[in-house]
Amino acid sequence: MQNDTETGPANHPATGRGLGVLLPTGSAQWGQGADPRELVPFALRAEQLGYDALFVNDSLLTPRIEALTMLAALAPVTRRATLGTGALLPFLRRPVQAAQALASIDLLSGGRLAVTVGAGFPGRFGQPLYTLSELPWERRFKRLDETVALWRQLWTADGPTSFHGEVLRFDDVPPSTRPFTPGGPPIWLGGATPAALARAGRLYDGWLPYPPDPADYRTGLTAVQEAATAAGRDAGSIAPALFVSVLVAADEASGRRAMDVYARANYGLGLEDLEQIQAVVIGPADRVTARLQQYRDAGARRLVVRLGALDLPAQYEQLELVADLASDLH
């Protein structure tokens, strides 16, 4: 599909309503008998409803459509929405090959890619992935930062280049695929530990955490901006985003029961445990709107919502409900 005149860098990386959706790429979110190819029309419907970002997450621990494969499928058929990762785990891929894949998606989308990255979490949601990738858990943050630095170098080099970091070392890398976006797509960081906040401010183009309390979001964003200023960067250039699980329900009690089922299916955690570590908003539309507005007031300009539903018909219903309430956010 040809991109129209509204497509491309003028709308990138975060303009319009500031509302994105995490696509239900995990098999637990499709429902039995569903066709995962339905994810493409689902994304198109989201764009039609006014969502201006389509995000995917990344893992090897549960069956899902691979993140970059999903974005490549969406690049030529979507028109305006930012295509994002939330979050990509670069250690799952060879770094030079990943640079080529990301540049290719940015080219195919006309410069609409935004890449949030992370290094994984301690425990069963992170460390086993390093074992599968045959990489050490130690120095994972240094590996992540150097991978991003390597990508940026490959995306801007005029010819063969070498990279000598503390963890990554490459000599005579051939010329790489150039992204559509000059300098490469923006790269955001997930995470909200003190070290992550400092690194986001020093090295990254945006911040995508999921703190359970809006007050913690405000405090974290201040720390990111202070780190940016201390590093001689423009603090206002760092995109402030939020990853949040949302379920619009007739009442809070029924919504909590449904989200508890969702949390157990996707994480093996009950809702009460999930709420301790992630932003979760449940209830009637007015309550959901008020809670999301608190995050907006705390500084989040991009909301990436994960819809708490376990089959595609319910995902479509939630997609419509959240789109309706978004007009009341400011």
Side-chain angles (χ1 to χ4, degrees):
M1 179 183 293
Q2 289 293 323
N3 287 335
D4 62 20
T5 56
E6 296 180 271
T7 303
N11 288 355
H12 178 67
T15 60
R17 305 171 77 183
L19 179 67
V21 62
L22 184 77
L23 300 179
T25 56
S27 62
Q29 300 159 344
W30 305 337
Q32 289 188 344
D35 186 344
R37 290 175 294 183
E38 178 69 15
L39 291 169
V40 173
F42 182 90
L44 294 175
R45 178 58 178 158
E47 191 176 49
Q48 184 181 44
L49 288 169
Y51 289 86
D52 51 15
L54 306 169
F55 273 65
V56 296
N57 57 13
D58 193 24
S59 179
L60 292 177
L61 297 180
T62 56
R64 68 183 59 246
I65 301 300
E66 192 273 331
L68 300 187
T69 303
M70 187 75 247
L71 295 186
L74 296 178
V77 297
T78 54
R79 289 177 175 267
R80 292 171 292 275
T82 294
L83 305 179
T85 61
L88 190 75
L89 302 175
F91 65 86
L92 297 180
R93 300 161 179 84
R94 299 285 186 179
V96 175
Q97 182 273 336
Q100 182 188 42
L102 292 168
S104 298
I105 293 170
D106 197 55
L107 277 170
L108 292 171
S109 68
R112 291 184 288 121
L113 181 64
V115 185
T116 305
V117 296
F121 302 97
R124 63 190 180 97
F125 291 115
Q127 286 170 288
L129 294 174
Y130 279 82
T131 300
L132 289 171
S133 302
E134 300 179 310
L135 291 173
W137 174 251
E138 295 75 23
R139 307 199 76 191
R140 60 192 182 278
F141 300 116
K142 174 60 70 174
R143 179 182 298 276
L144 175 64
D145 293 344
E146 288 190 1
T147 298
V148 171
L150 170 66
W151 291 348
R152 288 169 169 161
Q153 182 171 320
L154 293 176
W155 291 334
T156 56
D158 292 327
T161 188
S162 298
F163 182 91
H164 296 156
E166 296 179 25
V167 177
L168 300 181
R169 299 182 67 85
F170 295 94
D171 290 310
D172 299 322
V173 182
S176 182
T177 304
R178 283 290 185 97
F180 186 98
T181 306
I187 303 181
W188 302 355
L189 184 68
T193 65
L197 300 176
R199 290 165 51 241
R202 291 197 317 269
L203 302 172
Y204 289 84
D205 304 307
W207 181 51
L208 181 65
Y210 43 69
D213 192 319
D216 292 334
Y217 188 92
R218 184 185 299 276
T219 300
L221 180 58
T222 298
V224 169
Q225 293 171 337
E226 289 175 348
T229 300
R233 305 181 67 203
D234 176 9
S237 69
I238 300 174
L242 171 76
F243 185 88
V244 54
S245 295
V246 173
L247 181 63
V248 181
D251 58 78
E252 186 173 355
S254 64
R256 290 187 64 82
R257 289 193 296 271
M259 186 65 91
D260 184 71
V261 174
Y262 177 91
R264 294 180 187 278
N266 282 276
Y267 292 104
L269 297 174
L271 175 58
E272 290 186 358
D273 292 327
L274 184 66
E275 288 177 312
Q276 299 301 310
I277 57 176
Q278 291 190 6
V280 180
V281 181
I282 305 166
D286 58 349
R287 185 183 186 280
V288 171
T289 302
R291 187 62 168 173
L292 293 178
Q293 186 61 53
Q294 290 179 341
Y295 281 102
R296 277 279 177 88
D297 293 342
R301 293 294 168 261
R302 160 79 70 202
L303 304 179
V304 179
V305 298
R306 174 170 46 198
L307 305 172
L310 287 176
D311 59 57
L312 282 176
Q315 286 277 336
Y316 269 107
E317 180 182 14
Q318 288 293 314
L319 190 73
E320 302 266 354
L321 291 170
V322 174
D324 287 343
L325 65 80
S327 61
D328 293 326
L329 297 172
H330 57 269

